[in-house]
Amino acid sequence: MPALLAENVTAGYGRTPIINDISLTVEKGTVTTIIGPNGAGKSTFAKTVVGILRPTTGRIMVGDLDITRMPGHQIPRHGLVYVPQNDNVFKNLTVRENLEVGGFAAQGNTDARMEEILSVFTDLNKAREKRAGYLSGGQQNLLAIARALMVDPSVIVLDEPTAGLSPAYTDVVWNQVERIAATGTGVLVVEQNVERALKHAHFVHIFVAGSNHVHGLASEIASLDLAAIFLGRAEANRS
Amino acid sequence: MSAMWYYVFTLVFFLFDYFILAMGLNIQYGETGILNFAYIGFVAVGAYVTGATSLPNAAGTGQQYILGWGLPFPLNLLLGGLAACLLAVFVALIALRRLRTDYLAVVLISVSLVLYDVINNYVPLFNGADGLYNVPEPFASVLKLTTNSFVPFFAALTGVVALLMWWVMSRITKSPLGRTLRAIRDDDGVAATLGKGVFRYQLTSMLIGSFYAGVGGGLIIQFGGSFNPTAWLPAETFVVFAVILVGGVGNNVGLLVGALLVETLLIHLPAFLPDIPGHPGLIEYIDTIVVGVLLMVMLWFRPQGVVPERVRRSPFSLATRSSKTLDDRAIIVPTNDGESTPVIQQETANG
């Protein structure tokens, strides 16, 4: 059973569909990325999966639980968490408070969980009593990811976690993403950087104009003419 | 008691009362980010209901009002607070559920204006433009207080109420509820993605803040014995905003400082100063201008206020925690079913 299953999902803003009939699965312990040109519907799909937008058709499952019509704020307690693209931390709260807020939907000992997470995110551990707004952009993204881990999720959805980061910090973020997947969590990453996505992901989906244009193993996708697909000049072999 | 002490205790009363009002607005705006421009309306509802439940039946009083139960302190005050909460539920359901930030602020201004017009013009409710008067002074007959001795007594009583409400508010703002409200203030969208029912928390904040507004209003009518629409013009909301912006948003100590600087020293103290020769009443008009200028200066040069919001540190010191080596820590996190799962592997030195 996949960690996350989206079947024939159509969604958008108001009556205008942005994504059409998209199906996608995220397996446990793997990194799945969504790449594609601007306006392809990558972030819209992520928002639909986590309940911010309501799909007009289709079905979304976390494990064996149907969350298609579930209010967004109830979804994290069922193991699906989301890290937005920008402004994704509570800047006036300390690092520790951010993590505590993230543990709201968690059950069990959140203090122990926070200590465990901070022992891995060493930069955050050093700054635990600092306001999140004083952290660098990369550290803020790491904090947002760390905060999402507080609920011990089965699936984590990251919307462009490396946007605007230096190459060095991009590596740090991706290393953490791989570590999260190694614990058995399914990771879905919306990414603009094609090279990084292909390097770190197990599975890649290319969205073009609101459709899941092509998908497959990262090694298979890497062999395609991506420039042609992004620019709409090629009808690639669909997997 | 000399006239000067009468004035001093009047100022002390307003200091404590506006401290209560500022705490109420602060949890809504400073802690939760709800721009409640109708705040003075909640104060007024608290004042009217406290007054109307203190007064006896309206027949024969020369006034028109509802209720008229003749309840003693503090029952009447609690009902004033609860009436403001009732208004908060109504406002939250029509405005807070769907609107955010500037749109919500515009709607709340409209609510304030509608409320003002209804109470001002519908006489059977709270005696219209004349307002309520002859409201009994709490404990005055029991303790045989004169007009002069009532003022210091009630200022002290208000101080006790303010102290109690400050203690409660401190517990709230330091609790997980307070932390969640600040998270919603920073970004309600992100808070929702973490499992927070944003509306439920905003409603909670509105209820708490409105109770403080209602109690603060109730104390005003009990102190002065009367209350009418000239006491709560919609612009009065901005005086309370000035208190929390000057004192320090999100800091209870700052609110007391703000109440002292704005409400006590700038709004009420000038009323007791002698007139400028040839310009009677000019000082009272100038104080509003001074508050406006002070507000602009503070927002420009020190937006965090005189006493800024503090970082809420963990009760466990950083030094204590960091003194542990990583090997001392439990790397395994217990799960619900009693088993343990590793979160993520230890970061390597070069990771």
Side-chain angles (χ1 to χ4, degrees):
Chain A
M1 181 188 304
L4 174 69
L5 168 68
E7 277 184 340
N8 310 112
V9 171
T10 297
Y13 303 93
R15 293 180 179 177
T16 310
I18 303 296
I19 53 172
N20 289 294
D21 199 28
I22 288 183
S23 296
L24 178 152
T25 59
V26 177
E27 300 293 339
K28 294 172 186 169
T30 64
V31 178
T32 301
T33 61
I34 303 172
I35 59 175
N38 285 336
K42 305 184 295 294
S43 292
T44 301
F45 177 74
K47 289 174 182 171
T48 306
V49 165
V50 299
I52 295 174
L53 295 174
R54 179 84 32 114
T56 51
T57 62
R59 185 171 71 129
I60 300 164
M61 305 281 291
V62 174
D64 58 357
L65 179 69
D66 189 338
I67 61 162
T68 312
R69 298 289 157 192
M70 190 177 285
H73 70 271
Q74 291 180 10
I75 290 175
R77 71 189 63 165
H78 298 292
L80 172 60
V81 290
Y82 171 62
V83 178
Q85 181 178 354
N86 294 317
D87 296 327
N88 47 21
V89 297
F90 305 116
K91 292 185 176 172
N92 287 300
L93 270 58
T94 63
V95 168
R96 175 182 53 79
E97 287 177 316
N98 266 273
L99 294 175
E100 286 170 344
V101 172
F104 173 79
Q107 297 177 6
N109 189 341
T110 54
D111 282 349
R113 182 82 186 169
M114 181 164 63
E115 288 306 313
E116 172 61 13
I117 288 170
L118 284 173
S119 71
V120 176
F121 290 82
T122 50
D123 274 8
L124 301 180
N125 192 26
K126 291 172 191 164
R128 66 162 69 194
E129 298 298 341
K130 278 188 181 172
R131 283 188 176 155
Y134 295 158
L135 302 178
S136 70
Q139 289 173 324
Q140 288 186 17
N141 280 4
L142 284 180
L143 174 58
I145 294 170
R147 189 184 56 203
L149 293 175
M150 283 293 292
V151 298
D152 193 11
S154 57
V155 192
I156 181 169
V157 178
L158 307 172
D159 193 354
E160 298 199 27
T162 62
L165 300 187
S166 67
Y169 230 99
T170 298
D171 284 337
V172 172
V173 171
W174 270 111
N175 286 340
Q176 293 291 10
V177 169
E178 288 181 334
R179 287 195 177 101
I180 293 165
T183 66
T185 301
V187 184
L188 178 63
V189 184
V190 173
E191 180 59 72
Q192 284 276 13
N193 188 322
V194 175
E195 187 182 332
R196 300 278 185 178
L198 294 174
K199 178 182 174 186
H200 295 281
H202 299 97
F203 301 98
V204 176
H205 292 250
I206 303 178
F207 282 16
V208 177
S211 298
N212 191 355
H213 195 74
V214 58
H215 63 93
L217 291 169
S219 54
E220 296 170 350
I221 297 295
S223 64
L224 301 176
D225 183 357
L226 295 177
I229 294 172
F230 271 51
L231 295 172
R233 292 203 304 258
E235 184 61 30
N237 294 328
R238 293 174 185 247
S239 300
Chain B
M1 185 174 63
S2 70
M4 197 191 92
W5 283 110
Y6 181 91
Y7 296 147
V8 167
F9 283 115
T10 300
L11 292 178
V12 169
F13 165 77
F14 280 109
L15 170 66
F16 289 138
D17 191 67
Y18 267 74
F19 181 43
I20 294 170
L21 296 183
M23 282 191 285
L25 183 58
N26 184 61
I27 194 168
Q28 294 178 350
Y29 172 66
E31 301 283 341
T32 320
I34 301 169
L35 210 48
N36 185 1
F37 283 156
Y39 191 70
I40 199 67
F42 295 87
V43 177
V45 166
Y48 282 122
V49 171
T50 301
T53 52
S54 306
L55 286 162
N57 192 291
T61 62
Q63 304 179 59
Q64 295 183 59
Y65 50 82
I66 57 171
L67 307 173
W69 295 340
L71 294 177
F73 184 94
L75 270 182
N76 43 28
L77 193 63
L78 288 173
L79 286 175
L82 292 175
C85 289
L86 200 61
L87 177 64
V89 172
F90 176 71
V91 169
L93 288 176
I94 60 169
L96 202 55
R97 185 180 280 275
R98 291 185 170 274
L99 301 174
R100 293 286 181 273
T101 57
D102 43 357
Y103 293 101
L104 177 63
V106 169
V107 168
L108 287 171
I109 289 175
S110 305
V111 167
S112 182
L113 295 172
V114 169
L115 193 66
Y116 186 85
D117 280 343
V118 168
I119 292 179
N120 194 21
N121 292 296
Y122 186 60
V123 178
L125 195 59
F126 295 120
N127 210 32
D130 290 339
L132 301 179
Y133 50 87
N134 291 335
V135 175
E137 296 172 333
F139 303 113
S141 56
V142 177
L143 300 176
K144 301 188 180 352
L145 299 172
T146 64
T147 303
N148 277 348
S149 57
F150 174 76
V151 172
F153 166 77
F154 200 75
L157 183 63
T158 304
V160 172
V161 174
L163 195 63
L164 182 65
M165 296 182 87
W166 169 78
W167 182 80
V168 172
M169 188 60 81
S170 294
R171 308 308 296 174
I172 292 171
T173 53
K174 288 174 184 168
S175 70
L177 170 63
R179 188 176 61 220
T180 301
L181 296 180
R182 291 194 299 281
I184 289 170
R185 173 194 65 186
D186 275 14
D187 195 321
D188 56 352
V190 174
T193 67
L194 296 171
K196 309 289 186 186
V198 171
F199 174 71
R200 189 161 62 89
Y201 282 100
Q202 288 179 324
L203 177 60
T204 304
S205 172
M206 279 291 284
L207 287 173
I208 296 169
S210 299
F211 183 78
Y212 275 63
V215 168
L219 290 167
I220 289 174
I221 196 170
Q222 291 186 317
F223 179 74
S226 64
F227 196 80
N228 63 57
T230 60
W232 61 286
L233 294 166
E236 290 290 326
T237 288
F238 296 100
V239 174
V240 192
F241 266 102
V243 168
I244 67 171
L245 289 170
V246 170
V249 172
N251 188 314
N252 288 335
V253 176
L255 303 180
L256 189 61
V257 173
L260 177 68
L261 290 176
V262 176
E263 184 60 25
T264 307
L265 298 183
L266 294 179
I267 300 287
H268 283 284
L269 180 64
F272 299 133
L273 297 177
D275 279 331
I276 298 170
H279 302 281
L282 181 60
I283 288 178
E284 287 187 53
Y285 290 106
I286 288 176
D287 63 19
T288 311
I289 297 171
V290 171
V291 169
V293 171
L294 176 66
L295 196 54
M296 285 189 281
V297 169
M298 288 299 295
L299 290 174
W300 189 262
F301 293 106
R302 196 173 168 82
Q304 69 272 39
V306 175
V307 187
E309 182 178 358
R310 287 176 299 175
V311 172
R312 271 84 168 175
R313 294 191 189 285
S314 167
F316 307 103
S317 74
L318 183 59
T320 305
R321 289 192 175 193
S322 61
S323 66
K324 288 183 176 179
T325 64
L326 291 177
D327 291 337
D328 294 333
R329 295 182 183 158
I331 301 297
I332 304 301
V333 177
T335 56
N336 298 331
D337 55 6
E339 295 178 4
S340 296
T341 53
V343 182
I344 20 188
Q345 294 165 8
Q346 186 65 51
E347 188 177 30
T348 54
N350 58 358

